[in-house]
Structures are given as structure tokens and as C-alpha cells.
Amino acid sequence: MRKARGQINLSLIKGRKTLVLGILVLVLMGVGVFQFIPTGLVVVEGEFNFSDVIDSSFNESAEYEWVMGNFGGLKSLRLDGSATEDFVGKVYLQDGNRSYLVFDSDMLDEEGIGAVTGLVTDNSSFGDVPEIVDGKASVDSNASVDDDDNDDKSISIDVVGGGKKNVDEVFIFNLSGSFDWDVDYGKVCTRYDVNDYGICYGDNDCCAFIGMESSGNWNDSFYLTYGRYDSGFYNRIGVQVIYANYSLNISSPYSDIIYSETVSLDAEFIEERIEFKDLCMDSCLLSGLNSSSYILNVEVLSGNLDIDNVRYSIDVAVNVSNSAPVLIQPFENISISGELVINLSSYFNDSDGDVLNFSFYETDNISVYINDSMARLVVDPFSGTRFMYFRASDGYYTTVGNIFSVKYGVKKFEVSNLYGESVATVDDKGDLYLKGSVSQLDYLNATRNSFAVQNKLGETVAYINSSGHMFLLGNVTENADLDPDGIRLEFRGSEDKVVAFIDDEGNLNLKGRLIENS
């Protein structure tokens, strides 16, 4: 039996807020009873919707223990997921001796239930992909030569093939090569690598030189089907042409070996699947179920079934805030060359005084570290534009800020105070501008809402307060020769070069100057 606690995807949707308000209206009309809570919260009972991530795949019958992410009387249960076209089976919800049919493969034949889409069922990735134009990859090689007399020999190759095909289709790779000398084609071979599986086409002696047997002529088409040469859904195909003219005769050995560069292409097999969402049968309406965990009994007669999410509604009494967090000012589009600190308290507020928890939308090339209300953005170089947003939650309501763009550019590293005012910046030249001044102390205790830097032991070695004053354990070095040692925080310019850093001892090293009271 597989056991997993569902990851909770919790957000108070509009429907839930409407339900709460509706209940309050009924209470005020005398239909129900409620009590006032001194903290400004009210207790309401109602039906709430949640979603737990299951993310499990079933090729055979199994029992899955679903531990609810949110407890309460279970009122309905629905499934999201996908199945292969040949899937035959059912899913039941079990609670002790009671069983409810949730999913039946016959439902997939009903019009409007799901759409057939190409979906890869392997979570691997290729990594970096070489540039392929119009399905064709080419390379002009720098030859590898064993004899000094052949330094000017080279091989250029073009390979056509790769891409995406269904699992029952065939990839065909066609090779053409050019040699800048009068080559003897009887000494040429081609090596194909399907992931880690090698195949050789061409001259027997040439293939033997690379430890393989020949499977055909050097320029024959190469065919790949799913499962052949240990291929899977995602495959990297490497192609290299070799000229091998050599003799192992003891009395007169010689070698003339020329390699082309390796061309890499991707071959991805996809499997047609039927996607479904919010499916239920007997579990659409439930009553009398009050367990904290249930068994999903999955029966598989053929094919594959993926269950992505369990969507469910429960009866529960909760404390609900009278008001949700509000966005008090919009986030502006920004450009960053290294790092940026944003005080989220300058953008979100909760009138009930609830402690806000912040989260963010993840995007490529941007790492976000949140400490209380301070969000530190660290950017890796990229081209183009990224988009992101922040969220604020009081535990019951979640408010989403506006979407703003992030570009990699010459924007300075910046620290802002509670009012959104810039109090410290580091520019591309490594100049540090402080609204206040720098002080060196023997011991540091960072004040509230400060931007602090800590060493490996968690001790504060430097911080900038909301007034723009900087406090250090160490010293400031201007026009420094930057060779970071024991670095704790680095500031990078638009060319991704370090222009300033603070080390473990609390020393500030600047490529440029320190400008105080700016």
C-alpha cells in the first residue's frame, strides 16, 4: 500500500467567500447562532473546497491511502488526472466497509469528458539542447588527428531527424558528410549514440577501432523506434563520423584518424492520453464520512492511470478573518543586474492586524528568499523578460499582488524602507550609496526591518537599517581588488561580475567608492 499525505493547495476562492457572507446574512436574520470573538474573528460553519496533490501513477491494481490535508465531514470527492487510451479500470473510495465508485474507464468514452492530447509520461529532461534549424543539425568539425602531416584535414556533417513522434512511429535520421581531402570512403564509419547505447555503421576496421561491430554503410539512414537500443520517452541522439586509416603491424604501424564533431539531436516519443478533471460518480455527493484518511482502491485491468489531484469539499467550522489582506500599492516593473530587496510590508496590509505570510510565483533565473516581510531577489543573467507576483495570506484569505515584469539590466542593488524609499544602492561601478553613514561596531544586533548579513554561525556581521545607516563588524575597503574569500553576500553588475561583497568577518569590499548621506 502506498501512503502519502497530500500537499495542500489551499486558497480561499470567491465561491468560498460568498458562502461565508451568505451564512453571516442568514445568522443576522436569526436562522443560526454565532459568537463574537474578541480578536475580531467570527466562527462560521460551511462547505469548503480543497485540493490535495496525489501525483501517482498506476500500472497495476493498488491501494493508496489518502490522508486529508484538511479535516472535516467529507461531502464530495472528485479526481483530476489522465489515462492511456487502452486503460480499463475503476477507482473506489473506501471508508471501512463502505465503498463508493469515483471513477470508471467507461466514463472516458463519454463525449466531453476528456480530450486526447500528446503527453509524455516520463519526468526526465534533456538538459541543454543544441540549436536545430528546420529539423536539421549541422557542425563544421575541428578534426582530431594522430599524425602531424594531416593537421589540415576536417570533416563536416549534417544530420536531419529528431523531434517528437508517437510511440508507434519511427524516427529516421539521415546523414550527409563532406571531407576536405580525397577521402577513401572504405575507411569511414559513423557512430550513433542513443543515450548511452552505441551503434556503428560503416567500415568494419573503422568500427572495430571504436570497439563496435558494423551494422551497415556509413551513410545509411538510422532508424529508431520506441524501446530499440534501450530508448525511452526522452532520448539524446549523438552522431559522429570517423575516418580511420591505421595498421597494427608491428614492423610498420601507422595511424591516420580523423573525427568530426558530435552532432546531438533529441528524439522524444509521446503517448496519447485522455485527460480528465473533476470526475466523480457515486462520490459526487457524500454524507456520514468523518475520517481523517481514506483508501483509494485502484483497479487496473489494462493500461495506465495517473491521478494528479483529489478535489474534495468538507463541512468544517473555521475562524474567518473579517477582512482579507489588501494591496496598498502596485508593484512596478523592475530591472535587476544582481540583487534587489523588497519590503513587502510596503505593498500589503491587513486591517485586522493579522500576521501575514508571503509567497511568490516562481520563475526561471530568479531566486527569491523571504524573511518576515523582506523579499530578497537574486537574479542569474538572462535575456528577455520574466514575470512574477507576490501573495499575502492571513491564514484564511490570500491576496495576490499585480503581475510585474523583471528584466536583467543595469538596475542597482537596492534596499528600501517600510515606505518604499531607497536607503542603499550598489551600482554597476561598485559604488555604494547610503542615505545614512557607516559605523564599525564590536557586536551587532540588527534592528527590526533591517537588511542583515549573517556568517556561517548565524551571527550578524553587517546590516542596513530603515534609515539607511550601515553597521559592520569589519572595515570598508574602497577601490578594492575583488578576490572574494569567505564571501557571504556578493553584489553583481550587469555583466555578472562581482562589484562588491561582504565577507564572513563583516568586511565590506567595494570596487568603487562609498558615498554616505546621499
Side-chain angles (χ1 to χ4, degrees):
M1 179 187 297
R2 281 175 285 185
K3 181 178 181 180
R5 187 177 183 92
Q7 300 177 32
I8 305 167
N9 179 15
L10 170 59
S11 62
L12 268 169
I13 58 177
K14 291 183 178 179
R16 188 187 310 171
K17 185 185 297 185
T18 302
L19 174 62
V20 172
L21 294 176
I23 292 172
L24 292 177
V25 170
L26 292 176
V27 168
L28 293 174
M29 293 175 63
V31 178
V33 178
F34 69 97
Q35 68 178 99
F36 286 105
I37 307 299
T39 57
L41 304 180
V42 295
V43 176
V44 299
E45 292 186 1
E47 190 171 308
F48 290 80
N49 297 321
F50 297 93
S51 175
D52 289 355
V53 177
I54 300 298
D55 195 21
S56 291
S57 184
F58 300 90
N59 296 311
E60 58 185 9
S61 298
E63 291 184 344
Y64 180 98
E65 183 178 1
W66 167 49
V67 180
M68 299 176 70
N70 299 271
F71 304 146
L74 187 61
K75 306 301 293 181
S76 70
L77 183 139
R78 305 166 304 283
L79 297 180
D80 297 345
S82 64
T84 54
E85 289 189 302
D86 63 342
F87 174 73
V88 178
K90 299 179 180 181
V91 180
Y92 293 89
L93 172 71
Q94 285 188 211
D95 180 37
N97 295 325
R98 291 180 290 184
S99 181
Y100 305 86
L101 180 61
V102 181
F103 173 88
D104 189 330
S105 55
D106 290 342
M107 302 169 69
L108 301 180
D109 296 329
E110 299 177 14
E111 184 178 356
I113 290 295
V116 178
T117 59
L119 178 67
V120 177
T121 60
D122 187 313
N123 290 325
S124 307
S125 63
F126 290 128
D128 296 330
V129 180
E131 182 177 4
I132 300 176
V133 179
D134 296 330
K136 179 177 180 180
S138 62
V139 61
D140 294 324
S141 67
N142 295 318
S144 300
V145 187
D146 288 341
D147 284 349
D148 293 338
D149 294 339
N150 296 317
D151 286 341
D152 58 345
K153 292 182 179 179
S154 65
I155 305 172
S156 298
I157 63 173
D158 292 328
V159 184
V160 178
K164 295 183 179 182
K165 291 184 179 293
N166 290 329
V167 292
D168 57 352
E169 294 183 301
V170 180
F171 280 103
I172 303 176
F173 296 87
N174 292 310
L175 165 73
S176 62
S178 61
F179 306 80
D180 63 357
W181 78 99
D182 188 14
V183 66
D184 179 357
Y185 290 101
K187 300 184 183 301
V188 175
C189 61
T190 301
R191 173 175 182 148
Y192 289 92
D193 286 298
V194 180
N195 303 316
D196 297 323
Y197 194 109
I199 311 98
C200 186
Y201 281 60
D203 175 55
N204 289 325
D205 289 339
C206 181
C207 289
F209 179 76
I210 57 176
M212 299 181 184
E213 295 182 356
S214 177
S215 299
N217 297 318
W218 77 273
N219 58 352
D220 282 351
S221 296
F222 178 70
Y223 298 88
L224 180 65
T225 56
Y226 178 75
R228 191 183 189 194
Y229 306 126
D230 294 335
S231 61
F233 286 103
Y234 292 95
N235 305 280
R236 173 62 62 83
I237 312 300
V239 186
Q240 184 180 47
V241 173
I242 304 162
Y243 170 79
N245 181 17
Y246 65 96
S247 173
L248 302 180
N249 189 303
I250 298 177
S251 60
S252 58
Y254 65 88
S255 65
D256 183 10
I257 312 298
I258 312 294
Y259 297 87
S260 77
E261 295 287 352
T262 299
V263 168
S264 294
L265 302 99
D266 294 331
E268 178 181 349
F269 290 102
I270 61 177
E271 186 177 39
E272 286 191 341
R273 301 183 67 90
I274 301 174
E275 296 182 345
F276 56 86
K277 185 174 182 179
D278 265 346
L279 284 194
C280 60
M281 295 188 73
D282 298 343
S283 63
C284 296
L285 292 174
L286 300 169
S287 63
L289 299 180
N290 294 289
S291 300
S292 61
S293 65
Y294 299 88
I295 298 297
L296 295 179
N297 190 343
V298 182
E299 295 182 357
V300 179
L301 300 181
S302 65
N304 167 265
L305 173 69
D306 286 352
I307 300 178
D308 299 332
N309 305 297
V310 169
R311 299 176 183 269
Y312 59 103
S313 59
I314 58 175
D315 269 340
V316 64
V318 296
N319 291 333
V320 181
S321 172
N322 285 331
S323 58
V326 295
L327 183 70
I328 56 179
Q329 66 170 320
F331 290 85
E332 297 181 352
N333 298 332
I334 57 176
S335 297
I336 313 176
S337 61
E339 299 183 9
L340 177 67
V341 176
I342 299 175
N343 190 331
L344 299 177
S345 295
S346 301
Y347 296 89
F348 293 99
N349 182 53
D350 188 273
S351 59
D352 301 320
D354 297 328
V355 176
L356 296 181
N357 294 311
F358 298 101
S359 58
F360 59 93
Y361 173 77
E362 297 184 14
T363 187
D364 293 340
N365 304 105
I366 303 174
S367 300
V368 180
Y369 307 93
I370 296 179
N371 183 13
D372 292 330
S373 62
M374 307 299 290
R376 176 175 167 236
L377 280 63
V378 181
V379 179
D380 294 327
F382 65 88
S383 59
T385 303
R386 302 287 185 267
F387 295 92
M388 63 181 300
Y389 56 82
F390 287 98
R391 297 178 289 259
S393 172
D394 62 3
Y396 304 102
Y397 289 107
T398 297
T399 297
V400 180
N402 62 289
I403 298 174
F404 60 95
S405 66
V406 181
K407 293 185 177 182
Y408 184 79
V410 297
K411 177 71 177 179
K412 305 179 285 283
F413 170 88
E414 183 176 81
V415 177
S416 301
N417 62 17
L418 287 169
Y419 304 103
E421 301 169 340
S422 175
V423 296
T425 59
V426 177
D427 64 17
D428 257 8
K429 298 183 294 182
D431 293 332
L432 170 61
Y433 294 83
L434 286 176
K435 186 175 182 180
S437 59
V438 173
S439 299
Q440 191 275 331
L441 302 175
D442 294 331
Y443 173 78
L444 298 182
N445 184 16
T447 56
R448 184 176 176 82
N449 296 318
S450 294
F451 174 73
V453 180
Q454 296 181 330
N455 62 18
K456 298 175 183 177
L457 301 177
E459 301 166 338
T460 300
V461 297
Y463 72 90
I464 300 173
N465 67 16
S466 59
S467 298
H469 294 290
M470 186 174 197
F471 300 88
L472 301 168
L473 286 182
N475 300 307
V476 178
T477 302
E478 299 177 291
N479 303 312
D481 182 13
L482 300 182
D483 184 16
D485 183 20
I487 190 169
R488 299 309 300 165
L489 176 65
E490 63 183 26
F491 307 90
R492 292 181 175 270
S494 58
E495 296 180 358
D496 198 34
K497 293 182 179 179
V498 177
V499 296
F501 70 89
I502 298 174
D503 63 23
D504 258 337
E505 305 299 324
N507 295 302
L508 171 63
N509 295 268
L510 300 170
K511 182 180 178 181
R513 301 173 300 129
L514 169 65
I515 298 95
E516 299 175 284
N517 303 310
S518 62

